[in-house]
Amino acid sequence: MGENRSDAERPETTPTPDLAAKLEQCQASHLRTLADFDNYRRRTGREIGAARAAERDRVVLAWVPVLDHLELALSHADADPDSLVDGVRGVHGLALDALRNSGITRLDDESGAFDPTRHEVGAVVDSGSTSRPPPAGTVVEVLRPGYLADGRVLRPASVAVSAGPKPNNGAESHHGPRRDTGSEPGKGPGPDTEPEAS
């Protein structure tokens, strides 16, 4: 009985033919998976590089006409200064077209309340001297345009905002008219005080 117990407890040192075949299949499958992943990594790297190159080429081709027109305007600047102004205006239009064609929205007509997600304060304007000053924090002018791409702010617009109406510093405050109590030096007695008897 002791011999039977020791035989049962002794671990097997040689795998059965079925286990050896399964182990071989798993190792082969593992090597194929590693090779597939390596191929995928290389292919993805090539595709990302090609996509970056295509995007770079698209942006460059959008801006090449802007550069062409700048050079043309500069070449005619000495002959006719007015042509330089016209050329710069044309280049400005081409640059805006290039941005639009790239899906960029320009924030240059901002108005209404200051929005910290789209604006940054470039100046605070004292508009209290106007007859109807806008409320404090109202955008009154765009100092530098901002840009959006797919609803995401690339650069906020720099804006001038109103300081709002000036507070009323007149003689009458919101507490009512001032009443003279005669307590100030150099003033006579107040209306409710009686003169001293002599």
Side-chain angles (χ1 to χ4, degrees), residues 123-145:
V124 177
V125 178
D126 180 14
S127 51
S129 59
T130 60
S131 60
R132 300 187 77 185
T138 301
V139 175
V140 294
E141 183 184 359
V142 175
L143 304 174
R144 187 195 66 207

Side-chain angles (χ1 to χ4, degrees), residues 74-151:
L74 289 172
S75 69
H76 290 88
D78 293 335
D80 181 11
D82 290 337
S83 69
L84 178 63
V85 175
D86 293 338
V88 170
R89 284 196 184 110
V91 171
H92 181 257
L94 284 171
L96 291 177
D97 289 343
L99 287 172
R100 269 192 296 272
N101 294 336
S102 298
I104 306 297
T105 304
R106 187 173 152 105
L107 304 174
D108 58 358
D109 59 349
E110 300 292 286
S111 59
F114 176 82
D115 180 355
T117 63
R118 295 166 61 98
H119 305 140
E120 65 181 16
V121 177
V124 177
V125 178
D126 180 14
S127 51
S129 59
T130 60
S131 60
R132 300 187 77 185
T138 301
V139 175
V140 294
E141 183 184 359
V142 175
L143 304 174
R144 187 195 66 207
Y147 297 93
L148 283 174
D150 300 323

Side-chain angles (χ1 to χ4, degrees), residues 13-184:
T13 54
T14 57
T16 62
D18 288 344
L19 287 177
K22 285 183 181 178
L23 179 61
E24 218 174 296
Q25 286 175 354
C26 287
Q27 287 175 337
S29 175
H30 176 66
L31 290 174
R32 277 195 305 273
T33 303
L34 286 177
D36 287 345
F37 180 73
D38 192 47
N39 291 335
Y40 167 77
R41 185 178 54 80
R42 290 179 184 174
R43 186 176 65 250
T44 304
R46 286 193 301 270
E47 289 171 355
I48 290 173
R52 283 181 178 159
E55 184 63 18
R56 181 206 56 218
D57 295 349
R58 188 182 69 79
V59 170
V60 168
L61 289 174
W63 285 95
V64 163
V66 176
L67 185 58
D68 291 341
H69 281 75
L70 271 175
E71 290 171 350
L72 188 63
L74 289 172
S75 69
H76 290 88
D78 293 335
D80 181 11
D82 290 337
S83 69
L84 178 63
V85 175
D86 293 338
V88 170
R89 284 196 184 110
V91 171
H92 181 257
L94 284 171
L96 291 177
D97 289 343
L99 287 172
R100 269 192 296 272
N101 294 336
S102 298
I104 306 297
T105 304
R106 187 173 152 105
L107 304 174
D108 58 358
D109 59 349
E110 300 292 286
S111 59
F114 176 82
D115 180 355
T117 63
R118 295 166 61 98
H119 305 140
E120 65 181 16
V121 177
V124 177
V125 178
D126 180 14
S127 51
S129 59
T130 60
S131 60
R132 300 187 77 185
T138 301
V139 175
V140 294
E141 183 184 359
V142 175
L143 304 174
R144 187 195 66 207
Y147 297 93
L148 283 174
D150 300 323
R152 191 171 37 91
V153 176
L154 298 177
R155 183 179 84 178
S158 178
V159 296
V161 294
S162 169
K166 288 186 177 179
N168 186 5
N169 293 330
E172 295 198 4
S173 68
H174 61 281
H175 297 296
R178 185 170 169 246
R179 192 170 161 206
D180 187 6
T181 60
S183 59
E184 294 180 3

